[in-house]
Amino acid sequence: MALGSSRRTVLVTGAAGFIGSHLVDRLLAENFEVVGIDSLLTGDLTNLTSANRDPHFHFQMGDVREPLNVHAEVIFNMACPASPVHYQHDPYATLTTSVVGAQRLIDQARGMRSTIVQASTSEVYGDPTIHPQPETYWGNVNPIGPRACYDEGKRAAETLLVDAKRAWGIDTRIVRIFNTYGPRMAFNDGRVVSNFIAQALTNQPITLYGDGRQSRSFCYVDDLVEGLLRVAMLPTLDGPLNLGNPQEFTMVELADTILSLVDSASELMYLPLPVDDPRVRRPDITKAKDVIQFEPAVELREGLSRTIENFRSRLAL
Ligand code: NAD
Ligand code: UDP
């Protein structure tokens, strides 16, 4: 895929979601013809307000578990609820979206020689026993726990995509995305960044789960989208690739940072830790640096400030 050439068609599934909509905007800015598909399970059409004004964007309401018929050079498969609250709400839908969705896209790509870029996840590493996590780590996932519908669904999708490459030579590329945040995250998303920002802005208690000392590494969405594009532009990609920002923070540190950026009366409120909540998470991005010269540019405070401004305007504060 060469950027800036005559318009080539790219399909983005999960286009109305948080990451999907940012990816759509970037692809349009790079002069692609973009088809977006979304079931609106967790996505929101307002995320596509700007894209919908562009004649080169075409939205289709649809489910990736149904047969698709879009002629696209590249397919970015972003469709899947990503927040633990949402993906556990209907575990069957989550698992089948990952597995049946991957199967449908492989069927489609097989006939059309498309490249598939799959949004996999750091959750394939589960509650990791190796830290930070390199792509060579096989993970520590509970296959029957409440997170399994997501973790195992994404793992099985990876298996399908790798086998499609082995068996039929389909160009499938797997990106393991680590915690990504930014403008357009849904208020009711349930993830930590959106929860803490919405709580701080509305002077509600900041809900810290467990002792708040579990860690995550947060990547600003523009950095992630840059990485996704670079992956699609490669001539080929062997094996999965971690994408994320390796700077690691505890949830208490995240809460303190957000409170230092928002003039808020919120106080910390400790709640039970969810089952199977990983204690630590941090990407080893050695491979991404090597293969696509990936270098996250947006520091946490800067990315949070931009996200807070976006939440403030949407909340009309
Ligand atoms: P999101 O919930 O905002 O977006 C997911 C989109 O997929 C939504 O618009 C939703 O309506 C759509 N969708 C869900 N099921 C569908 C189906 N069966 N058919 C069609 N559309 C469907 O989440 P996000 O944070 O934007 O995540 C996008 C992708 O990136 C997901 O695949 C997720 O697993 C992956 N990912 C995200 C993160 C992160 O931190 N944001 C981390 C790891 C992986
Ligand atoms: N978390 C929290 N308070 C919240 C939401 C989440 O303390 O209101 C914690 C959660 O227990 C986890 C971390 O923040 O340890 C990240 O959670 P999130 O749901 O954002 O994503 P995960 O990385 O667990 O998929």
Side-chain angles (χ1 to χ4, degrees):
M1 178 167 99
L3 294 184
S5 57
S6 63
R7 293 201 183 254
R8 293 161 163 199
T9 303
V10 176
L11 169 63
V12 178
T13 75
F18 159 54
I19 299 176
S21 65
H22 284 277
L23 179 61
V24 165
D25 287 348
R26 178 70 194 275
L27 288 165
L28 290 169
E30 301 283 355
N31 294 325
F32 286 96
E33 203 72 27
V34 182
V35 179
I37 288 182
D38 203 297
S39 66
L40 300 184
L41 178 71
T42 54
D44 191 326
L45 281 179
T46 60
N47 290 337
L48 294 170
T49 303
S50 153
N52 274 323
R53 284 195 287 263
D54 191 321
H56 299 287
F57 179 62
H58 315 274
F59 182 75
Q60 292 178 16
M61 182 90 170
D63 193 308
V64 285
R65 292 170 292 181
E66 301 298 326
L68 305 170
N69 190 20
V70 177
H71 200 294
E73 191 172 324
V74 177
I75 301 168
F76 288 94
N77 184 27
M78 314 306 292
C80 187
S83 151
V85 174
H86 288 303
Y87 70 63
Q88 290 174 29
H89 176 71
D90 185 348
Y92 180 84
T94 301
L95 187 83
T96 54
T97 289
S98 279
V99 178
V100 179
Q103 187 188 0
R104 294 292 187 210
L105 294 178
I106 289 166
D107 291 344
Q108 155 110 4
R110 200 175 169 188
M112 302 191 181
R113 310 303 302 165
S114 316
T115 294
I116 301 177
V117 179
Q118 164 72 0
S120 191
T121 169
S122 53
E123 288 277 330
V124 301
Y125 302 122
D127 190 9
T129 55
I130 292 182
H131 191 65
Q133 294 79 55
E135 290 86 350
T136 47
Y137 178 46
W138 291 355
N140 177 35
V141 172
N142 175 357
I144 54 167
R147 298 174 84 100
C149 58
Y150 184 70
D151 302 9
E152 296 291 13
K154 290 284 188 179
R155 285 168 69 98
E158 287 197 8
T159 309
L160 275 174
L161 290 158
V162 168
D163 278 332
K165 188 173 198 163
R166 272 197 284 259
W168 302 307
I170 299 176
D171 183 7
T172 60
R173 306 176 184 197
I174 294 165
V175 175
R176 292 179 178 160
I177 300 171
F178 284 65
N179 297 68
T180 299
Y181 71 99
R184 297 185 187 158
M185 290 186 91
F187 300 126
N188 69 346
D189 186 76
R191 282 181 277 191
V192 70
V193 173
S194 43
N195 272 5
F196 286 4
I197 291 178
Q199 289 159 354
L201 286 172
T202 55
N203 298 311
Q204 302 297 311
I206 304 286
T207 53
L208 271 166
Y209 301 161
D211 61 11
R213 282 189 283 177
Q214 68 274 33
S215 75
R216 295 292 187 273
S217 307
F218 298 102
C219 185
Y220 189 66
V221 65
D222 290 358
D223 286 333
L224 192 267
V225 166
E226 177 66 32
L228 289 173
L229 248 72
R230 289 188 189 194
V231 165
M233 285 188 285
L234 285 171
T236 182
L237 175 68
D238 287 324
L241 187 81
N242 288 341
L243 282 185
N245 188 324
Q247 286 199 322
E248 186 179 2
F249 300 88
T250 66
M251 295 313 99
V252 172
E253 288 170 333
L254 178 71
D256 287 345
T257 307
I258 289 172
L259 287 174
S260 75
L261 293 167
V262 178
D263 185 19
S264 172
S266 296
E267 294 185 351
L268 302 186
M269 179 169 77
Y270 286 86
L271 295 172
L273 189 69
V275 175
D276 292 339
D277 198 290
R279 291 296 309 167
V280 292
R281 183 179 297 149
R282 178 184 177 196
D284 179 333
I285 59 166
T286 308
K287 182 173 175 184
K289 285 184 180 196
D290 185 36
V291 175
I292 56 167
Q293 291 72 54
F294 182 65
E295 201 61 68
V298 182
E299 297 283 335
L300 185 68
R301 282 186 77 84
E302 172 59 26
L304 288 175
S305 298
R306 295 184 201 176
T307 311
I308 289 165
E309 275 324 297
N310 171 262
F311 272 55
R312 219 191 279 278
S313 65
R314 285 155 65 211
L315 286 164
L317 291 171

